[in-house]
Amino acid sequence: MDETFITLEYKDDTLWLIDQRLLPVSFEIFICKDFRDVEFAIRDMVVRGAPAIGAAAAYGVLLAAKEYASDYETDHGKFASRMEEACRFLNESRPTAVNLAWAIDRMKQTLSKEVWKDSADMLKVLKREADAIRSEDIAVNKRMAKIGVSVIPRGATILTHCNAGALATAGWGTALGVIKQAFYDGKDIFVYADETRPRFQGARLTAWELVQAGIPAKLIPDSAAATLIRDGKVDLVMLGGDRVAANGDVANKLGTFALSVICKEYGVPFYSVVPVSTIDFSIESGEQIPIEERDPKEVTHPGGVQVAPEGIEVYNPSFDVTPHQNITGIITELGIIRPPFNENIEKIRKGIALGN
Ligand code: MRU
């Protein structure tokens, strides 16, 4: 799988998404005709992964502007309040990944510039911005791959969690993008992919991408990771991130924190790979990151099959926060952020490349 693989695309005034709920059993396209469809697609995880939901939401804002374009011609105030409402609606589809708010804000900023002649011109400018968010994401992922590959030794065995591949982004991937780069560079790597309960993004999506790319790999139950790490069978852990706080704490798929504790205990390097758009400079620590809790049915009925008795209560947080003390480095397109994380993240905020 390479850059020609298309996770999301705006075609015929609609947003086309690979329906990730159905992979790997079937490959189908989910077409969003309006911003409500986009909100549903994000909430129901037709599209998932922090950068991918950001790019999808950007097209959601475009679809809202298209729907309300006639108001723009007649009543600017009405158009503005309807757009505000649509953006809020899209933003509430999933709470943890900051890329969603980041992309919507970027679209809102473009909207507030009012640099166009009429509504048709406005839609053209918004389309250009959403396309830029999408194509910049692919370019940023490739840059991170080139930077991040330096931490992968020849012959390394890498463990990854959830799906931080092409499917989680507009294309190429974050953590899996770096791993792919190492493989294409001939580094003779091997990958362990956690299945990632309860939604099985590792089994359904990462394993699918690894098979497509021909990367030597084994799928493992989540609970096998600790033993593999203790027994020296993992050289490094590399995964994505949904929101990074200013102190370097990283929210990522549930199970990431546990992996970081095991890595710290056994001295195994632990890397998160995120674009700068995943850093939330406005929050000081991971304690302020909202953690999404999802439908109990994901746990009691994985894949629609009942595995728990009716009436049992369920706790189903979708993400957890890994403290920066457990992280070796955060790989971004501006370089690898290493301790002291707060100082180096401040440099990133100012756009200063870390030069590594
Ligand atoms: O619930 P998901 O599948 O959207 O969670 C995705 C993750 O946690 C990924 O690791 C993260 O978004 C990084 S993707 C490049």
Side-chain angles (χ1 to χ4, degrees), residues 45 94-96 161-162 196-199 201 242 251-256 291-295 298 315-320:
M45 295 173 68
R94 290 194 79 188
T96 302
H161 188 67
C162 194
T196 318
R197 280 173 177 251
R199 290 288 294 231
Q201 290 94 328
D242 288 85
N252 189 50
K253 180 53 57 196
L254 184 72
T256 300
I291 299 295
E292 176 182 16
E293 276 188 47
R294 293 190 63 86
D295 190 341
E298 289 186 346
Y315 172 51
N316 183 23
S318 195
F319 301 93
D320 58 28

Side-chain angles (χ1 to χ4, degrees), residues 71-124:
D71 290 326
Y72 181 80
E73 303 294 352
T74 53
D75 184 342
H76 259 58
K78 191 169 166 196
F79 172 78
S81 67
R82 286 187 133 177
M83 285 305 293
E84 194 55 46
E85 176 62 19
C87 289
R88 193 189 53 73
F89 180 64
L90 284 164
N91 200 20
E92 285 174 358
S93 53
R94 290 194 79 188
T96 302
V98 75
N99 306 62
L100 188 59
W102 171 86
I104 292 170
D105 273 358
R106 206 169 134 171
M107 293 298 281
K108 276 166 86 173
Q109 268 175 35
T110 305
L111 204 50
S112 68
K113 283 184 194 142
E114 299 215 28
V115 287
W116 43 79
K117 305 188 286 286
D118 53 22
S119 61
D121 199 30
M122 167 187 74
L123 293 176
K124 219 184 291 166

Side-chain angles (χ1 to χ4, degrees), residues 51 99 102 106 132-148 169-175 177-178 181 273-278 331-335:
N99 306 62
W102 171 86
R106 206 169 134 171
I133 288 172
R134 176 176 172 270
S135 56
E136 283 169 21
D137 183 52
I138 300 170
V140 157
N141 289 339
K142 289 189 173 172
R143 219 171 304 147
M144 291 194 297
K146 297 263 186 251
I147 293 169
T169 64
W172 189 257
T174 59
V178 179
Q181 185 69 53
V273 185
V274 297
V276 170
S277 56
T278 299
I331 297 165
T332 74
E333 70 271 30
L334 292 182

